[in-house]
Amino acid sequence: MKIWQAVLIAVQALRQNPLRSFLTMLGIVIGVASVVTVLAIGNGAQTQVARQIRAIGTSVLMINPGTARQGAVRLKAGSRPTLTEGDVDAILEQVGQVRAAAGSVAGTAQVIHENRNWNTTINGTTANHFVVRDWSLAAGRPFNGTEVAGAGKVAILGSVVAHELFGTEDPVGAEIRIMNVPFEVIGVLAAKGPDQDDVLFVPLSTAKLRFLGANGAARDAVAYILAKAVSDEAMPRAKEQIEGLLRQRHHIEADRDDDFRVSDPAAAAEAQRGAVRTVAILLTAIGGVSLLVGGISIMNIMIVSVTERTREIGIRRAVGARARDIRLQFLCEALVLCLGGGLIGTLIGSGVSLALSRSAGWTTVIDVGAVAVAVGFSAATGLFFGLYPAHRASRLDPVEALKAE
C-alpha cells in the first residue's frame, strides 16, 4: 500500500467519528496555539526592546537628578534641579572616557504650520545630543554654535511631526509656530520608531528663554544629561569617573547620598529583553506539556480504535494486507490527527496574536520558522505516540482477529 492510499484510508476512518477525532486532537490544538501565541508575543516584546536599545544609542549613560537636601530634610527625587550645564561642560573636559555629552530640558506644546497643528514633545538640547544618540538627519542640518549660544529660533523635527505638519512636502526652510513664536525648520531626523519620532528639538538656550521662563539659578539647570562613552568597554570606568566628578562639583560629603543617578539604559533594556526571553521559554515549555498530554490522548484513543477495529484488521490481513500496511495505516491516522490539530492550532494562535496586537496595542511577531517547528513537533508527537498502537495492530493474528465480534 502506498503512503497516499494510507492517508486517504486514515482520513476516511477519522471521518466516521468526527466528534471523537476532534476531541482527540484538541490537546494538540491547544498546545500548538499556545506555543504560537507565546512565541509571537515574546518575539514582539524582544523586537520592541531591541528598537528601544537602538533608539537610546550605544555606549550611552543617562544622568538624572537624584534626591536633593534642604537642610536636614531629604526632598523627593527630581523635586529640585541638581544638574547644570556646567556639569555637562565639566564631564566633557575632565572625563577622559566620555567623547560627547549633552544636557536637555523637555516639555509639550502645540506646534502649528499654516492650517495644520500637532501636540508634541519639545526637547531643548545641543547638537551633541544627536552625536550621543547616533541619530542622523534625513534632511537639513543640526544646530550650530551661534544658534545654541544665542537662543536661535530654529527647530529640528522628528519624522512624525514632519509628516503631521507638512505631509509629503519638504519642511526644511519652512516656518512653524511654537506657542505663537515663529521658528525656522532647519532639519528633519531620520525615522527611528514611533516612540522616538514624535518629538521636536530646539536649542537648549531657546527652550529656557522662550518656553520655561528660566531665571536665576534655574537658568543653568538641565533636566537630564546624556553622555557617550568612547566604547562599550569604557562604560564602567566612565560611570565611575562621572560619579566622582559630580560628587566633587556638588560638594557632597563622604557620608551623604548622591543627588544624581547615573544609569545605563541600554543595559537595563537588555536585562528586560533577557527577562522576556526567559518568560517566553517557560510559557513555551507549558505549551510543550500540552502537546505531550495531547500525544498521550492520541495514543489512548488509537489503542481503543485498534481494539474496536480488530475484525476490520483481520479482514484486511485475510485479503492480503501485510503487517507493515496495517502499521502504516494506523501511523497515518495518528499523523493526520496531529497535523490537523497543528494546523488548526496555528490558525488559532495567529488569530489570537493579531487580536492582541490590535486590541491591546502589543507588538507581536509571528515567526514562520517557529510555526513550522510547532507543527513539525506536533507531527513528531503523532508519530511517536502512534507507533505503539500501530505496532500492536500489525501484530494481531489474522485468524484470531476474524473471530472478534
Side-chain angles (χ1 to χ4, degrees):
M1 183 169 58
K2 296 181 180 179
I3 293 179
W4 66 268
Q5 292 174 321
V7 172
L8 288 177
I9 294 172
V11 172
Q12 292 172 359
L14 295 174
R15 289 178 60 186
Q16 292 177 2
N17 200 332
L19 180 60
R20 186 171 74 176
S21 298
F22 175 74
L23 293 176
T24 301
M25 70 170 64
L26 191 57
I28 299 296
V29 172
I30 294 173
V32 172
S34 61
V35 168
V36 170
T37 302
V38 167
L39 288 177
I41 294 173
N43 289 336
Q46 293 189 51
T47 301
Q48 184 70 16
V49 173
R51 188 182 299 135
Q52 292 173 357
I53 293 174
R54 288 196 300 271
I56 293 168
T58 59
S59 308
V60 174
L61 291 169
M62 175 172 274
I63 305 137
N64 288 300
T67 303
R69 283 181 174 271
Q70 188 170 355
V73 179
R74 296 180 67 186
L75 304 178
K76 181 181 177 181
S79 59
R80 196 169 69 186
T82 60
L83 300 175
T84 66
E85 293 181 56
D87 292 333
V88 179
D89 296 336
I91 290 171
L92 284 170
E93 294 171 4
Q94 301 180 42
V95 179
Q97 301 299 321
V98 168
R99 68 181 183 90
S104 297
V105 294
T108 59
Q110 202 76 12
V111 185
I112 301 171
H113 172 66
E114 296 181 350
N115 62 340
R116 295 188 178 188
N117 67 88
W118 186 250
N119 190 276
T120 189
T121 299
I122 309 297
N123 192 312
T125 189
T126 65
N128 266 343
H129 183 93
F130 309 112
V131 176
V132 171
R133 305 192 76 170
D134 296 319
W135 284 0
S136 59
L137 294 175
R141 61 173 179 83
F143 307 130
N144 59 38
T146 302
E147 292 162 344
V148 172
K153 293 186 289 185
V154 293
I156 297 174
L157 310 183
S159 60
V160 169
V161 180
H163 174 74
E164 294 296 336
L165 294 181
F166 293 91
T168 57
E169 299 177 19
D170 182 9
V172 177
E175 182 182 280
I176 60 174
R177 300 183 70 84
I178 308 173
M179 297 177 64
N180 292 324
V181 178
F183 280 76
E184 178 190 356
V185 177
I186 62 170
V188 178
L189 289 168
K192 299 167 294 301
D195 296 336
Q196 302 294 327
D197 293 332
D198 191 2
V199 64
L200 182 152
F201 291 92
V202 298
L204 179 59
S205 54
T206 306
K208 291 182 178 183
L209 178 65
R210 301 288 178 179
F211 309 135
L212 301 181
N215 54 64
R219 185 174 297 170
D220 194 38
V222 294
Y224 64 91
I225 299 171
L226 293 178
K228 188 176 186 66
V230 294
S231 66
D232 288 341
E233 294 73 19
M235 291 280 281
R237 182 61 178 159
K239 182 174 183 292
E240 181 183 342
Q241 290 179 352
I242 291 172
E243 289 173 340
L245 174 63
L246 292 183
R247 286 186 65 88
Q248 179 184 356
R249 284 183 53 82
H250 297 182
H251 308 291
I252 300 174
E253 299 175 4
D255 60 341
R256 296 295 182 92
D257 295 333
D258 295 339
D259 62 356
F260 58 88
R261 299 188 310 276
V262 182
S263 60
D264 181 355
E270 187 63 40
Q272 181 185 359
R273 181 161 63 174
V276 168
R277 188 185 301 115
T278 301
V279 172
I281 291 173
L282 290 175
L283 293 177
T284 303
I286 294 173
V289 172
S290 298
L291 288 175
L292 182 64
V293 172
I296 295 173
S297 174
I298 286 175
M299 182 173 67
N300 291 335
I301 296 299
M302 293 301 297
I303 291 174
V304 172
S305 179
V306 169
T307 303
E308 290 178 347
R309 296 159 61 188
T310 300
R311 187 173 179 81
E312 175 192 331
I313 293 170
I315 293 173
R316 290 182 182 275
R317 292 297 304 274
V319 297
R322 294 165 294 183
R324 68 179 184 181
D325 295 327
I326 302 298
R327 187 183 304 113
L328 180 61
Q329 176 190 342
F330 282 91
L331 275 177
C332 284
E333 288 186 22
L335 185 60
V336 168
L337 281 173
C338 284
L339 277 178
L343 293 174
I344 295 173
T346 298
L347 293 176
I348 293 175
S350 301
V352 170
S353 301
L354 293 175
L356 286 173
S357 179
R358 292 181 179 179
S359 62
W362 295 358
T363 301
T364 57
V365 178
I366 299 175
D367 188 344
V368 177
V371 170
V373 169
V375 174
F377 187 71
S378 69
T381 301
L383 289 174
F384 179 79
F385 286 101
L387 189 61
Y388 173 71
H391 180 70
R392 179 175 174 178
S394 68
R395 295 294 299 273
L396 288 177
D397 182 80
V399 177
E400 296 297 326
L402 284 170
K403 293 180 183 179
E405 294 295 333

